[in-house]
């Protein structure tokens, strides 16, 4: 069963397009792009999520990331 998001595809795509443009502007390599994405995820977890929930949410995030990869 697919996961339904409370955010529209258009909203997500608009933000992704803007972020991609910034990374392109700075000629960010795949490694730098992943490092930045990881830092953003870490900052969100540390600043916007209760400490009692951080590990569980990080694990769910990692599972979602892994399951979204193409073979």
């Amino acid at each position: 069963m697919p996961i339904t998001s409370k955010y529209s595809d258009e909203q997500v795509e608009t933000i992704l397009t803007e972020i991609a443009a910034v990374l392109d502007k700075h000629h960010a390599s795949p490694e730098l792009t992943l490092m930045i994405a990881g830092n953003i995820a870490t900052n969100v977890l540390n600043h916007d999520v209760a400490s009692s929930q951080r590990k569980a949410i990080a694990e769910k995030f990692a599972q979602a990331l892994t399951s979204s990869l193409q073979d």
Side-chain angles (χ1 to χ4, degrees):
M1 179 169 150
I3 297 173
T4 304
S5 174
K6 64 182 177 181
Y7 305 103
S8 71
D9 289 344
E10 181 180 345
Q11 182 182 22
V12 172
E13 289 301 319
T14 298
I15 293 169
L16 283 173
T17 299
E18 291 177 13
I19 291 170
V22 170
L23 293 168
D24 187 53
K25 174 185 172 185
H26 293 278
H27 308 288
S29 66
E31 294 84 6
L32 178 56
T33 299
L34 288 170
M35 186 177 84
I36 290 167
N39 286 349
I40 290 169
T42 299
N43 286 339
V44 168
L45 288 166
N46 283 331
H47 297 284
D48 299 326
V49 175
S51 59
S52 61
Q53 297 178 318
R54 288 179 190 149
K55 185 174 180 181
I57 291 175
E59 288 171 352
K60 287 182 182 182
F61 179 81
Q63 289 172 350
L65 176 62
T66 301
S67 69
S68 70
L69 297 175
Q70 299 175 353
D71 290 332

